[in-house]
Amino acid sequence: MNNSLDSTQRIKNLDKASKEDFDLIVIGGGITGSGIAFDAATRGMKVLLLEKQDFAAGTSSRSTKLIHGGLRYLKEMEFNLVRQVGKERAILYKNASYLVHPEKLLLPIYKSGSLGYYSTSLALWVYDLLAGVQKKESRIMLSAKKTSSTEPLLSTKGLLGAGMYYEYRTDDARLTLEVLKTAVSYSAQAYNYTQVTDFIATEGQITGVETTDLLNNTTYRFTAKHVVNATGPWVDELRKKNSEDLNKHLFLTKGVHLVFSHLRVPLKHSMYFDTPDRRMVFAIKREGKVYLGTTDTEYHASNENPICTKEDKEYLLNAVNKMFTSLNLQPTDIESSWAGLRPLIHEQGKSPSEVSRKDEIFIAQNGLISIAGGKLTAFRKMAQKIIDKIQATEKRFGSCKTSHIPLIGSLGFAAKGYEMLTDKLPVYTLKFQEQKNLIRLVHSYGNASFEMMDKATDDLSLIYAEIAYCINNESLEHLADYYSRRSGKMLFSSNELLENQSEILAHFVMLKGLSETQIAKEKELIEQLKTEALGSL
Ligand code: FAD
């Protein structure tokens, strides 16, 4: 089978693809584009996906990393949306339990806050009902006394109690990669670092795209019957290139997250709490860290690599220090941070937090289909909507099947659940010292993680096995892309950016056969990564 995610075959595969005819070209390798490729490929379409950066380098690695039940939509009375995302969450949990983990959240209620005890109790009850939450995960309400014993970090002054409910935690970039790999296992082709620079039209209808392979500076033309623009914050840039009238357009807002050691923010539970300006902020526990976010501010600078500013940090530190008065967190406590852009649809007179998170589809006269807005959580349903539109014009493709298809890392155990995977871990615990790495691998790659553990003999060779797997199966082009999106180490294990750095780089150089100039570029990219995640702290 042609595995387009094997980066050792990249040039050969790209050359070949440029001579084929596709049913569908998807522009954008975030969760929206990957979901569309997944839906289309599983219906039997011949699909090509093109991404100008690394896969998931846009918003899809910069979210709060939650598969939401949509509590926020309840406030805006969007009942159908709550119902829909609740259902999507259950489907994803069934199909990718290695990637999606139930997380209990505490919702503290204060006399001076924006939430009332009884209204929160009712809202969480309605939410459970609409989202179809399982009985064992139904909300419970806690008294003030029970709340302080459950979470001693909370100040008792004015504390009325708390709600406890469930969200599901994921890794957004890993989810995107696993969806994409599943699409490729159904014969889709996907290439990163391939920028769409123009559209090709025949008799007024889009029939393909012109691209630049940014790694080799080569131009390719690809042809297809349908082209979808799923470029998130870049959607309008491509619509402009397609000479579309943008009377409905994007409104970008920036959201920032800060990461702290769990030792410095020793929360017993993840939390969702209100801020002095009556917004809501998450504090999520993950891998010995706690991350906090998010902000929501209008954004007008460059879409590539948005950064966390001093003001963003001050806003979040102020919110967290008001909620946990004993912590007194300082900027020097921040271990890493990230910033992402929400591709929202502009609504006249609404503030960033008020604008709806709904997705919207635009179809141009020449047939270019664009999709923007939406959520990570709703990716499967967004993809279904797009491919249903195409299928309506081409009946030979079947209906959507993705709700029944396990993601690639769950093959062989999906029906029995994720415990079956972790049950296998004790076999490996003697070989490796860092047990948390084994869990991270299972949570990232599912059953493919055992292939890495089988090959490795110690902790360092396990990293080598992971990198080799990513080169052969996940189009790993730069070592920096391993530290950021493949492994998440940049954000949640930033000390590892410095550990064994020269040995790991030397191994990567050997596997890829890089020249001196390319080695210098790899070093530069790792330095850039450090500056982005750790630099201005
Ligand atoms: P992107 O991920 O940005 O993908 C678009 C891709 O297109 C990019 O990778 C880009 O490089 C590529 N591209 C652009 N131009 C070109 C071109 N010319 N050629 C080729 N490729 C191109 N949702 C949830 O469900 N749960 C959450 O907890 C959550 N939290 C969030 C927190 C924040 C701060 C933000 C900003 C969003 C959050 N969201 C959340 C929403 C969710 O992250 C987004 O809806 C989703 O990631 C958007 O994905 P996308 O694929 O549409 O865009």
Side-chain angles (χ1 to χ4, degrees):
M1 194 188 67
N2 171 9
N3 177 9
S4 60
L5 297 176
D6 178 352
S7 74
T8 64
Q9 305 296 314
R10 176 186 171 92
I11 296 179
K12 195 178 94 195
N13 285 339
L14 273 167
D15 274 342
K16 190 162 166 278
S18 68
K19 296 179 185 95
E20 296 172 44
D21 282 321
F22 290 88
D23 293 312
L24 172 68
I25 289 176
V26 183
I27 315 170
I31 191 65
T32 309
S34 302
I36 293 169
F38 173 39
D39 187 309
T42 51
R43 293 195 206 201
M45 290 186 191
K46 189 166 175 191
V47 182
L48 173 67
L49 179 143
L50 303 163
E51 164 57 53
K52 74 170 177 175
Q53 307 181 82
D54 187 19
F55 299 122
T59 304
S60 299
S61 55
R62 298 161 180 276
S63 76
T64 309
K65 309 182 192 301
L66 291 175
I67 299 300
H68 284 295
L71 184 59
R72 177 183 195 284
Y73 306 134
L74 207 55
K75 216 166 150 190
E76 286 124 42
M77 315 281 267
E78 299 197 62
F79 299 124
N80 271 337
L81 209 54
V82 180
R83 198 174 287 123
Q84 191 201 83
V85 288
K87 206 168 148 201
E88 281 309 303
R89 185 171 80 170
I91 291 174
L92 196 57
Y93 187 51
K94 171 179 71 116
N95 288 335
S97 58
Y98 62 107
L99 272 173
V100 180
H101 309 283
E103 181 79 23
K104 240 189 230 175
L105 259 86
L106 199 68
L107 190 69
I109 303 160
Y110 280 91
K111 218 180 249 168
S112 56
S114 62
L115 307 168
Y117 188 87
Y118 293 104
S119 55
T120 302
S121 173
L122 179 67
L124 287 175
W125 180 79
V126 173
Y127 168 76
D128 282 356
L129 194 74
L130 289 174
V133 169
Q134 296 175 47
K135 211 168 171 45
K136 65 173 184 196
E137 292 180 1
S138 300
R139 69 97 169 89
I140 47 172
M141 294 303 293
L142 309 181
S143 65
K145 201 168 153 211
K146 183 78 183 148
T147 305
S148 347
S149 63
T150 306
E151 191 50 79
L153 266 189
L154 283 170
S155 154
T156 49
K157 198 171 155 213
L159 183 65
L160 299 175
M164 197 169 238
Y165 76 109
Y166 277 82
E167 288 284 7
Y168 283 40
R169 191 169 45 81
T170 190
D171 181 316
D172 45 6
R174 288 289 341 149
L175 176 65
T176 304
L177 283 158
E178 295 294 296
V179 170
L180 197 56
K181 283 195 296 183
T182 313
V184 169
S185 74
Y186 281 83
S187 300
Q189 295 190 43
Y191 300 97
N192 52 1
Y193 295 106
T194 307
Q195 178 168 14
V196 171
T197 50
D198 214 342
F199 294 103
I200 304 168
T202 315
E203 293 171 7
Q205 287 300 297
I206 293 247
T207 50
V209 294
E210 202 162 279
T211 67
T212 306
D213 168 5
L214 299 172
L215 299 179
N216 300 298
N217 204 17
T218 312
T219 303
Y220 291 103
R221 288 161 73 91
F222 299 103
T223 56
K225 291 193 193 72
H226 305 276
V227 179
V228 172
N229 166 17
T231 53
W234 291 264
V235 156
D236 281 353
E237 200 178 295
L238 276 124
R239 289 175 71 213
K240 265 190 216 149
K241 206 177 272 298
N242 190 38
S243 309
E244 284 176 48
D245 177 6
L246 302 190
N247 48 13
K248 237 188 179 181
H249 57 91
L250 289 190
F251 172 60
L252 300 185
T253 76
K254 185 176 74 167
V256 158
H257 292 83
L258 306 178
V259 183
F260 301 87
S261 162
H262 184 235
L263 295 173
R264 186 65 183 88
V265 185
L267 286 180
K268 290 201 157 137
H269 292 279
S270 291
M271 218 179 265
Y272 192 32
F273 59 90
D274 53 353
T275 58
D277 60 345
R278 310 215 150 216
R279 291 186 53 254
M280 299 292 292
V281 164
F282 286 102
I284 307 291
K285 288 167 65 183
R286 174 176 161 171
E287 296 172 37
K289 310 286 170 192
V290 173
Y291 64 89
L292 282 162
T294 171
T295 56
D296 200 356
T297 51
E298 227 173 300
Y299 186 79
H300 299 285
S302 161
N303 285 358
E304 279 83 11
N305 305 320
I307 53 163
C308 170
T309 62
K310 190 163 162 270
E311 291 73 35
D312 296 326
K313 285 173 206 159
E314 276 168 6
Y315 173 89
L316 284 175
L317 285 174
N318 181 40
V320 73
N321 283 332
K322 284 252 155 57
M323 182 51 59
F324 308 107
T325 45
S326 61
L327 280 182
N328 193 22
L329 287 175
Q330 299 299 316
T332 47
D333 292 313
I334 303 169
E335 290 199 348
S336 61
S337 65
W338 73 89
L341 302 179
R342 298 179 186 85
L344 308 176
I345 313 295
H346 179 258
E347 290 177 62
Q348 196 60 41
K350 290 207 173 169
S351 74
S353 292
E354 287 166 346
V355 176
S356 167
R357 268 57 178 162
K358 274 190 200 155
D359 55 279
E360 188 134 348
I361 295 173
F362 309 98
I363 304 184
Q365 273 193 341
N366 63 4
L368 177 68
I369 305 174
S370 298
I371 180 159
K375 302 287 287 175
L376 192 75
T377 308
F379 82 89
R380 201 195 61 82
K381 216 59 203 165
M382 287 164 72
Q384 181 180 352
K385 267 200 259 178
I386 291 279
I387 303 301
D388 278 350
K389 282 200 185 302
I390 294 176
Q391 198 250 343
T393 64
E394 292 208 46
K395 298 283 183 216
R396 68 196 163 103
F397 300 111
S399 55
C400 177
K401 300 180 181 62
T402 49
S403 65
H404 304 294
I405 301 180
L407 294 194
I408 192 154
S410 335
L411 288 183
F413 77 90
K416 295 186 182 123
Y418 149 81
E419 287 76 21
M420 196 185 150
L421 270 186
T422 41
D423 282 353
K424 284 174 79 175
L425 281 181
V427 179
Y428 297 94
T429 48
L430 286 179
K431 233 186 340 179
F432 307 108
Q433 281 180 355
E434 285 289 347
Q435 306 301 312
K436 71 174 179 24
N437 276 340
L438 307 186
I439 298 280
R440 178 185 66 74
L441 289 176
V442 171
H443 285 186
S444 303
Y445 305 90
N447 55 17
S449 55
F450 298 107
E451 191 183 315
M452 303 168 203
M453 292 181 216
D454 284 334
K455 281 194 181 132
T457 50
D458 58 18
D459 292 292
L460 186 58
S461 66
L462 187 56
I463 296 177
Y464 295 164
E466 185 183 356
I467 290 175
Y469 172 86
C470 293
I471 290 175
N472 295 326
N473 299 282
E474 296 193 351
S475 296
L476 179 66
E477 297 297 347
H478 297 296
L479 189 56
D481 298 342
Y482 162 74
Y483 284 115
S484 52
R485 288 161 291 276
R486 303 297 178 294
S487 69
K489 287 180 179 179
M490 169 180 108
L491 299 174
F492 298 106
S493 200
S494 47
N495 55 325
E496 285 195 47
L497 282 177
L498 307 171
E499 275 173 22
N500 301 312
Q501 207 184 82
S502 48
E503 288 94 328
I504 293 173
L505 178 61
H507 190 78
F508 181 76
V509 167
M510 187 268 293
L511 290 175
K512 299 282 278 185
L514 301 184
S515 66
E516 286 304 319
T517 324
Q518 288 169 318
I519 297 170
K521 176 81 185 164
E522 289 303 315
K523 288 184 180 161
E524 189 190 313
L525 289 173
I526 290 179
E527 286 313 308
Q528 268 175 26
L529 193 71
K530 286 187 198 158
T531 317
E532 195 190 321
L534 323 168
S536 51
L537 301 176

